[in-house]
Amino acid sequence: VAAMPHLVQLQEKHKDSGLEVVGVAAHEAAPTAVEARTKLDAWLTEKCSNLNYRIAFDHTGEMNRLWMEPSLAVGIPTSFVVDRDGHIAFIGHPMQLDEVLPKVLSGSWRTSDQAKAADAERIATSEPLAREQALKKPINERYWAAVKTEDWKTALSAIEEGIALTPDDINFRQAHVHLLLHRMRDMRAGLPVIRQLVRDAIDRNSEHWMIVALDQLFHPNLDHSRFPSAERFAMGKELSEHMLALNPPQGDGRKFLSYPAVARYHHESGNKDRAIELIELALKSLDGPEPIADGLKQHLLPDLLQALANYKGEKVCYGALCAAPQKDPPKRSKRRPRRKPKKER
C-alpha cells in the first residue's frame, strides 16, 4: 500500500521514456479465483482509485514459481525492472527505483559496477532468508490448511514444528499464543506460552515482539474473558513500561506503530487520558522529522483517528479525514468459533 503512490509518481514521471508499471496481485486469499478477483477489484476501487498503471491478477502461483523463488525474493513488495532488451536489470524494493530507473531507461545500469554490487549484496542478504523460507514453506502450508478447516490440533502441531525449527520466528510464536488462547481456549497450556513470549520480548528489547505480545493481551477483537485479569494487566503494565522506555514520549521516534497497542492497555486499565495522549503522540509522529511514505500514512490514519474518537467519545478530525466514536467491537463468542479465521499479516 505504501509503495503504490510512489509507483504512480514514477509511472507519470517516466511514461514518455517508455516506462510501463505493472503491479501483480499474487497473494489474494479467497476460496475461488473469481472471489479473489472480486475482492481485489473492490479493494483497488476503495484504496487506489487514482492508479495510472495496470494490476495483473495471478491465482496460479506462477509469480512465486517463476519470479520470486528463483530470484531469492523473500517478501513483498519486490520490484523487477525489465530493460528494453528483455533482461531483468534490477530486483529490489520499489523505493529504490528513483535512482535505478533513469539509468535503466538510458541503458547505463545493467552492466555498471553499481548494478553488479547491488545484485551481489541482494543475493548475500536474501539467500539465507530464502533458504529459511523454503524450510518453513511446508509447515506454513500445513498450518493454513488446518486453519481453513478449523483443525486446531493439526495447526498447533505444525506451529510447534515451526518453533522447533526456527525458535526466533515471531510469526510462529504469535500463532502459537493465538491458537492456544484464542482458538483452542486452552488457558492451562496457553498461559505459560504467553508468559514466555512477554519475557522474551522484554529480554530482546524488541518493539515488534512487544507489540505482538501486547496485541494478544489487549487487542479489542479478541476475547480475554477467560484470562486471569490481574496477570493480564500485570503483563500489560510491564510491556507498556518497556515500550515507552524504548521509545519515550519526549523523543522523536516513530510512535505510530507501537503507541496504539500501549494506548489500548491504558484505556482498558481505566486511564482514558493517558490513552488519548498516546494516540495523539502517535498522530503527531506521522509528521515527525523522519518522513514516512504518504501511502503508509494514509493507511495508518483511519485506525489512529478511530481509536482517538473512541477514547474521547467525540468526533475527531485530521485534515479532511474525520472519525466518529463507535461502540466497542463485539467480543468473540466464548464457544468454539465457527467462522473461518482470516490470515494474519
Side-chain angles (χ1 to χ4, degrees):
V1 175
M4 293 175 84
H6 184 233
L7 292 172
V8 167
Q9 294 170 3
L10 290 174
Q11 177 65 82
E12 180 64 28
K13 182 177 180 179
H14 297 291
K15 64 181 180 180
D16 293 336
S17 300
L19 176 67
E20 184 171 355
V21 176
V22 179
V24 183
H27 298 87
E28 306 309 304
T32 67
V34 172
E35 290 177 78
R37 174 69 178 267
T38 301
K39 284 173 59 179
L40 175 62
D41 285 343
W43 185 85
L44 287 168
T45 300
E46 177 190 355
K47 299 287 187 180
C48 311
S49 58
N50 66 330
L51 279 186
N52 58 359
Y53 61 88
R54 288 178 292 176
I55 300 291
F57 174 56
D58 168 31
H59 62 92
T60 64
E62 293 290 274
M63 192 68 201
N64 280 337
R65 188 175 68 84
L66 297 178
W67 293 75
M68 299 291 283
E69 291 173 7
S71 66
L72 306 176
V74 294
I76 55 174
T78 293
S79 58
F80 297 86
V81 181
V82 182
D83 67 14
R84 299 183 196 278
D85 299 323
H87 293 92
I88 298 176
F90 174 80
I91 303 170
H93 196 280
M95 302 310 285
Q96 298 174 275
L97 295 177
D98 288 285
E99 179 183 2
V100 171
L101 273 179
K103 296 177 181 178
V104 174
L105 290 166
S106 70
S108 64
W109 170 260
R110 197 175 85 229
T111 58
S112 68
D113 290 340
Q114 187 181 3
K116 293 173 184 176
D119 212 40
E121 182 181 356
R122 177 186 65 81
I123 292 171
T125 302
S126 300
E127 196 164 23
L129 296 173
R131 193 160 44 243
E132 182 179 303
Q133 279 195 353
L135 289 172
K136 293 190 294 188
K137 184 178 179 180
I139 295 172
N140 282 318
E141 288 175 347
R142 186 154 59 95
Y143 168 72
W144 286 113
V147 167
K148 188 175 181 180
T149 60
E150 298 187 0
D151 180 357
W152 306 127
K153 287 186 178 180
T154 299
L156 181 62
S157 173
I159 287 300
E160 288 175 342
E161 181 184 339
I163 291 173
L165 178 69
T166 53
D168 295 332
D169 188 305
I170 186 57
N171 295 315
F172 284 149
R173 297 286 297 276
Q174 178 184 25
H176 196 203
V177 171
H178 191 77
L179 271 173
L180 289 170
L181 291 180
H182 303 297
R183 296 301 185 190
M184 304 175 77
R185 302 185 182 281
D186 186 346
M187 289 292 130
R188 185 187 296 272
L191 283 174
V193 173
I194 184 63
R195 289 174 190 139
Q196 190 60 54
L197 178 62
V198 170
R199 190 80 271 131
D200 290 347
I202 291 171
D203 289 345
R204 288 169 175 269
N205 206 30
S206 166
E207 186 175 68
H208 179 48
W209 279 55
M210 286 189 262
I211 292 171
V212 167
L214 207 52
D215 274 349
Q216 292 300 314
L217 291 165
F218 289 95
H219 199 285
N221 290 340
L222 300 176
D223 180 9
H224 303 98
S225 59
R226 297 188 182 189
F227 206 112
S229 180
E231 183 172 10
R232 182 165 76 100
F233 281 97
M235 289 183 188
K237 182 175 186 292
E238 188 175 12
L239 284 166
S240 297
E241 288 174 350
H242 277 85
M243 290 171 77
L244 291 176
L246 189 63
N247 189 356
Q250 64 273 19
D252 291 329
R254 294 185 168 196
K255 299 171 173 56
F256 47 80
L257 296 177
S258 59
Y259 275 33
V262 181
R264 282 194 287 267
Y265 156 72
H266 281 284
H267 187 259
E268 198 166 333
S269 300
N271 193 345
K272 185 176 72 171
D273 291 342
R274 182 60 163 159
I276 291 170
E277 177 189 0
L278 291 167
I279 295 296
E280 288 176 340
L281 286 168
L283 281 165
K284 184 179 179 181
S285 74
L286 290 173
D287 298 311
E290 190 177 348
I292 67 169
D294 185 63
L296 177 59
K297 182 176 179 179
Q298 299 308 315
H299 180 64
L300 294 169
L301 259 177
D303 286 342
L304 288 173
L305 274 185
Q306 189 60 66
L308 185 61
N310 291 346
Y311 297 163
K312 284 190 167 186
E314 61 185 42
K315 182 179 177 180
V316 297
C317 295
Y318 181 101
L321 188 63
C322 295
Q326 295 177 346
K327 293 182 179 179
D328 292 337
K331 299 293 185 183
R332 292 186 184 272
S333 168
K334 293 183 181 180
R335 295 180 293 109
R336 185 183 180 94
R338 294 187 178 276
R339 293 178 63 190
K340 292 181 181 179
K342 293 181 180 179
K343 180 182 283 191
E344 295 180 0
R345 294 182 181 270

